[in-house]
Amino acid sequence: MVYEATASAPVNIAVIKYWGKRDTKLILPTNSSLSVTLDQDHLRSTTTSRADASFAKDRLWLNGEEEAIKEGGRLHTCIKELRAWRLEEESKQDSLPKIGDLKLHIASYNNFPTAAGLASSASGLAALVASLAALYELPQSRSELSRIARQGSGSACRSLFGGFVAWREGHAKDGSDSLAEEVAPREHWPDLQALICVVSDAKKGTSSTSGMQATVETSPLLQERLRVVPQRMVDISTAIEARDFDEFGRITMADSNQFHAVCLDTAPPIFYLNDTSRAIIALVQELNRASEANGNGLVAAYTFDAGPNAVLYAPAANMPVVIAAVNKYFPQANAFADPFQMGTTATLP
Ligand code: DP6
């Protein structure tokens, strides 16, 4: 008999960035982080896991291409932890089918094109963990599962939730309290929208994994960042709670800027932003300056991960202005199919 389960997980974009590990094996971060889930149907990873007595070994396919599951690697760790959990449940409940020892075939797909310029590891690892948890019928505490997803890729632990999600750094040496949790559901602030501006879909030069450890090892500025992030976590949670876009936007931009500053402070320096990224920052600044000069609040806020692509957040009422401005200054940008949805994508030069 083949046992099978499928699960999907969304993309998340951090507004308070995770950058640095205090434990590289367990993937324990040097600071807490907070993300917004882009919970569109077209921005998800979907994974199907099968267990069957006829399988000779664990195998994994990503978008149809087989990937090796390296012994001791991150994928291996996630699978091992979930399997051990299932075996424990089987030892406690005689009625459970004995599937923990069966080999697995796992197939994962991203339904967003590489051209969306988004990292797929977060949603991919989260979907993998969710599908194995469903296959093994494990008690479905998402926070508990986030402890396992975190060991696949740090940012993956936040993709087990929708809406606004915090990953608490935790203090335990074994990582038992380094978990993700929902700060507010998506429905809490439906007026907040996101626009992804794709500057480049090329694979980044310095991976997040190696870049962040180089920062931990060499950046004096990181210490200052670690001093200010805890208050930012509190302040942005309050802003989300109050649906205060001005405060949310200011903290989001400050944190993105500081993250890229610590990258520049790393030896050798890491540059993720390019000229187009900086032009987008200037455009958002100008929109905000003009609005504030008229006594109004922020129009939009930008954030950049470990690459040149921008994610712009704005209240729904402002999104047409933001899109018009992006189209005006970046005429090569793709047409916007559905500008009022989170996750709308524009491709920039
Ligand atoms: C800039 O989660 O990709 O996107 O834990 O080594 O897999 P690993 O790193 P990863 O880093 C994400 C870094 C970031 C910020 C964030 O998502 O919080």
Side-chain angles (χ1 to χ4, degrees):
M1 175 166 177
V2 184
Y3 296 87
E4 178 182 303
T6 297
S8 83
V11 166
N12 78 75
I13 302 290
V15 288
I16 303 292
K17 307 293 186 194
Y18 145 54
W19 196 251
K21 297 179 182 71
R22 64 174 198 278
D23 184 318
T24 52
K25 178 71 186 130
L26 289 172
I27 309 202
L28 301 177
T30 46
N31 62 266
S32 297
S33 56
L34 194 143
S35 63
V36 179
T37 307
L38 303 187
D39 48 2
Q40 288 286 286
D41 284 349
H42 59 270
L43 290 173
R44 300 186 78 88
S45 298
T46 302
T47 302
T48 299
S49 297
R50 284 195 180 137
D52 185 49
S54 71
F55 297 159
K57 59 171 189 158
D58 291 339
R59 295 174 71 181
L60 172 92
W61 290 263
L62 286 181
N63 295 322
E65 295 221 356
E66 184 159 11
E67 298 258 325
I69 303 175
K70 287 193 213 96
E71 175 84 31
R74 291 168 165 207
L75 272 170
H76 185 252
T77 303
C78 289
I79 296 169
K80 201 171 88 182
E81 288 246 354
L82 290 157
R83 181 173 268 145
W85 194 355
R86 168 71 188 196
L87 289 169
E88 194 187 317
E89 295 294 320
E90 286 175 10
S91 72
K92 285 193 286 198
Q93 300 175 53
D94 261 356
S95 56
L96 281 180
K98 303 279 178 273
I99 64 171
D101 274 330
L102 301 180
K103 297 297 179 209
L104 296 161
H105 282 185
I106 302 167
S108 190
Y109 287 91
N110 304 322
N111 67 353
F112 48 93
T114 317
L118 292 164
S120 57
S121 64
S123 54
L125 262 307
L128 179 137
V129 168
S131 86
L132 281 176
L135 177 77
Y136 288 157
E137 295 179 283
L138 299 175
Q140 293 277 353
S141 149
R142 289 189 198 202
S143 271
E144 193 48 33
L145 292 181
S146 80
R147 185 180 61 76
I148 296 173
R150 187 198 76 221
Q151 296 174 66
S153 179
S155 53
C157 71
R158 299 186 309 241
S159 271
L160 285 167
F161 296 82
F164 301 85
V165 186
W167 171 14
R168 310 282 177 206
E169 57 184 286
H171 296 289
K173 261 192 126 89
D174 66 357
S176 51
D177 58 352
S178 185
L179 306 173
E181 65 183 25
E182 185 185 273
V183 171
R186 175 75 192 111
E187 307 80 62
H188 167 72
W189 198 358
D191 188 51
L192 181 73
Q193 298 189 339
L195 179 76
I196 303 167
C197 300
V198 181
V199 172
S200 164
D201 59 7
K203 217 172 141 38
K204 55 198 169 216
T206 308
S207 73
S208 304
T209 306
S210 63
M212 68 174 75
Q213 278 329 93
T215 301
V216 167
E217 282 154 26
T218 64
S219 166
L221 188 59
L222 181 66
Q223 298 316 312
E224 172 60 11
R225 172 161 174 72
L226 299 183
R227 198 182 64 76
V228 300
V229 165
Q231 191 58 45
R232 272 189 193 155
M233 285 292 291
V234 173
D235 293 345
I236 204 160
S237 301
T238 308
I240 292 166
E241 170 79 17
R243 298 183 201 93
D244 178 346
F245 183 73
D246 273 17
E247 188 65 6
F248 173 84
R250 258 184 262 287
I251 299 170
T252 295
M253 291 188 284
D255 200 72
S256 175
N257 293 342
Q258 192 182 53
F259 154 52
H260 290 280
V262 299
C263 289
L264 187 60
D265 191 47
T266 300
I270 309 167
F271 303 95
Y272 287 124
L273 305 182
N274 66 16
D275 286 351
T276 307
S277 317
R278 284 184 282 273
I280 293 170
I281 293 176
L283 177 62
V284 172
Q285 289 296 355
E286 181 49 26
L287 289 173
N288 288 340
R289 190 203 57 76
S291 173
E292 288 184 316
N294 288 330
N296 298 316
L298 292 187
V299 173
Y302 57 79
T303 188
F304 296 83
D305 275 345
N309 301 323
V311 175
L312 305 185
Y313 291 105
N318 297 350
M319 215 26 127
V321 173
V322 175
I323 291 170
V326 169
N327 277 330
K328 181 171 170 198
Y329 291 100
F330 303 96
Q332 296 91 328
N334 272 358
F336 299 94
D338 188 358
F340 296 104
Q341 293 295 308
M342 293 269 287
T344 300
T345 302
T347 302
L348 304 177

